[in-house]
Amino acid sequence: MFWLVSAWIAAIVVGLLLIRMRRSTDTDDDVALDISFYKDQLTEIDRDLERGVLSQEDAERARTDISRKILKLDAQNPTIGTSDTSRAPLWVMALLAVVLLGGSFGVYNQLGQPGYNDVPLQLRKEFAQKRLEERPSQQDILDQLPASLGPNTPEGDYGQLVVKLRETTATRPNDLEGFELLARIETQLENFNEASRAKGRVIAIKGSEATANDYLDYAESLIIAANGYVSPSAEAALKEALNLDRENGGALYYTGLMMAQNDRPDLTFRIWRKLLNDGPNDAPWIAPIRSQMMDMAYLAGQHKYQLPPETTLRGPTTEDIEAASGMDAEDRNAMIQGMVAQLSDRLATQGGTAQEWARLINAYGVLGEIDQARAIVAEARTVFAANPQDLDLINAAADSIGLAQ
């Protein structure tokens, strides 16, 4: 039925164009006949003049009148008089028919889906849901990845400590602090599959006390280990995170990613747009959303969507603290402590760069909260233990407030 209707539509369009061109050719033929008739009249005038039927004056008057009519007809169609005017449009019409009919079906055969049935919106949603439910498991995806020689292990004394920690946690399944430390170290070493197992054990030990961020960390390790694929196991962890915190940005981001991977860009667009609008702009999920949002908007049919302007939220710098020096002591401390607390909470829940950790250390030093600064320094040294450059930045910040190693 589709091909029959398409063929009829194409034939009608080509037919209308050919009729219009044929009429143009017929008009050309009519004008040519009229001009030929008037030229014959000029010949007859010359003959009548030779026979004495017309006077010289009458003959000139008749020639002038007929010549005026010929010029008028020629002005209406300047192509008259060129070679083979009646045949050229026939070639053009034949070529046009071939291009329109053959070209149209050829392009559709390359870009379209010949024989593919219409898929209503509701049916597409059902297909997407079925794909979501039947997608491969975490282990299926891991089995498809290139074989690994084992987890990354650093050299030297630090590597020996890592190996010892792995052995210790293997024999102490309820060691919460051990598994939390192991999860952080395996993540830093980019052993994401091993990190996911350690984080899963942390959740099992905590039980009902596990937080939304615990589940998010676990899901994120599973996703990264599977090269960005959101498996059913990761989905289950994301659901637990959202059950505990419906506004958890990281869990919402990965939920949107899962929908995009399973033919629901409309849901992804809805989730990601809210995350972009809510911010903050320095949240770890904002940059990947911005890089993919226009493509997702196109797939969701939101062709007029424009990305919101970027904004910057940050913790207090030394300049911020000095700028507050004009305030009274109580207001100044309240403002600074509020900014420091905001940065501290974000680093604790979302992580951050070594520069942000150093900024927090300096801020606590300015506030005189040395014990709190010392705790932050210790935590930062653990977080950036595998990165010497970042560790040097942390140590420099500690030295600047008198906390030498």
Side-chain angles (χ1 to χ4, degrees):
M1 180 60 69
F2 170 78
W3 287 110
L4 182 62
V5 172
S6 299
W8 273 107
I9 293 174
I12 290 172
V13 172
V14 172
L16 292 174
L17 291 173
L18 296 182
I19 290 172
R20 179 65 184 88
M21 295 182 69
R22 183 68 256 177
R23 285 178 179 175
S24 177
T25 302
D26 292 342
T27 300
D28 292 348
D29 292 342
D30 292 341
V31 174
L33 288 174
D34 290 342
I35 291 177
S36 178
F37 170 74
Y38 287 129
K39 287 182 177 179
D40 290 341
Q41 281 190 329
L42 288 175
T43 303
E44 290 296 327
I45 290 173
D46 292 337
R47 291 174 183 171
D48 289 346
L49 183 61
E50 291 176 359
R51 293 197 304 266
V53 176
L54 290 175
S55 64
Q56 185 67 35
E57 183 179 352
D58 290 338
E60 289 297 331
R61 188 182 302 110
R63 284 195 191 99
T64 300
D65 183 59
I66 293 173
S67 297
R68 188 181 298 114
K69 292 179 179 178
I70 291 175
L71 289 173
K72 184 177 180 180
L73 289 171
D74 190 59
Q76 292 176 356
N77 196 334
T79 62
I80 297 300
T82 59
S83 61
D84 201 17
T85 58
S86 62
R87 291 186 179 182
L90 294 177
W91 284 101
V92 173
M93 289 187 287
L95 180 61
L96 179 64
V98 172
V99 171
L100 287 180
L101 291 174
S104 297
F105 286 104
V107 170
Y108 175 74
N109 190 58
Q110 291 294 321
L111 302 180
Q113 294 288 340
Y116 197 78
N117 293 328
D118 182 32
V119 183
L121 178 59
Q122 184 57 40
L123 188 57
R124 293 201 298 271
K125 290 181 178 179
E126 292 175 2
F127 286 161
Q129 183 61 32
K130 184 177 180 181
R131 175 175 177 172
L132 180 66
E133 295 171 354
E134 297 179 355
R135 70 191 191 278
S137 67
Q138 179 80 12
Q139 191 58 48
D140 291 337
I141 297 299
L142 294 178
D143 291 341
Q144 296 174 15
L145 298 178
S148 173
L149 297 178
N152 297 324
T153 303
E155 298 179 354
D157 294 340
Y158 180 61
Q160 294 177 4
L161 291 175
V162 172
V163 172
K164 185 175 181 180
L165 178 61
R166 290 170 181 165
E167 294 172 349
T168 300
T169 52
T171 59
R172 297 167 60 182
N174 295 318
D175 185 353
L176 177 60
E177 292 184 0
F179 278 103
E180 288 179 332
L181 179 59
L182 179 63
R184 286 197 298 269
I185 291 176
E186 297 290 19
T187 299
Q188 293 166 8
L189 295 174
E190 298 184 357
N191 299 323
F192 297 108
N193 193 33
E194 288 72 16
S196 68
R197 286 198 289 266
K199 292 177 181 180
R201 191 60 203 154
V202 168
I203 291 175
I205 296 171
K206 286 187 174 182
S208 60
E209 296 181 358
T211 66
N213 283 323
D214 288 330
Y215 284 103
L216 172 61
D217 290 344
Y218 174 53
E220 188 171 45
S221 294
L222 291 171
I223 294 167
I224 297 175
N227 280 353
Y229 171 71
V230 185
S231 67
S233 299
E235 179 189 5
L238 293 173
K239 287 182 177 179
E240 290 294 337
L242 291 174
N243 286 337
L244 294 169
D245 178 9
R246 296 179 60 85
E247 301 299 322
N248 189 290
L252 287 171
Y253 165 71
Y254 284 119
T255 300
L257 180 63
M258 177 185 67
M259 293 302 175
Q261 293 174 354
N262 292 277
D263 299 331
R264 289 304 305 270
D266 55 319
L267 296 181
T268 302
F269 176 78
R270 192 182 310 167
I271 295 171
W272 285 2
R273 179 172 59 180
K274 185 177 185 304
L275 288 175
L276 275 182
N277 293 337
D278 292 348
N281 192 61
D282 57 352
W285 52 83
I286 295 298
I289 288 179
R290 293 188 72 89
S291 68
Q292 304 172 76
M293 194 59 174
M294 294 309 296
D295 291 338
M296 208 55 58
Y298 177 81
L299 294 174
Q302 303 291 332
H303 303 303
K304 295 182 179 180
Y305 175 77
Q306 296 294 328
L307 285 171
E310 293 190 58
T311 58
T312 302
L313 295 178
R314 55 183 176 83
T317 64
T318 304
E319 290 77 13
D320 292 329
I321 297 173
E322 290 177 354
S325 60
M327 309 170 80
D328 61 62
E330 184 177 354
D331 291 341
R332 180 173 63 251
N333 287 336
M335 186 201 76
I336 295 174
Q337 287 176 352
M339 298 175 70
V340 171
Q342 182 181 20
L343 177 60
S344 179
D345 290 342
R346 181 165 62 79
L347 293 179
T349 59
Q350 302 170 14
T353 65
Q355 290 82 358
E356 291 175 316
W357 283 87
R359 185 179 300 165
L360 181 60
I361 293 168
N362 287 326
Y364 277 125
V366 172
L367 290 173
E369 299 183 10
I370 301 302
D371 290 339
Q372 186 65 31
R374 184 177 291 106
I376 296 299
V377 169
E379 184 176 359
R381 284 171 176 163
T382 301
V383 171
F384 298 103
N387 193 320
Q389 292 182 341
D390 290 342
L391 194 57
D392 288 342
L393 187 62
I394 298 300
N395 291 333
D399 291 340
S400 69
I401 62 171
L403 294 178
Q405 297 185 56

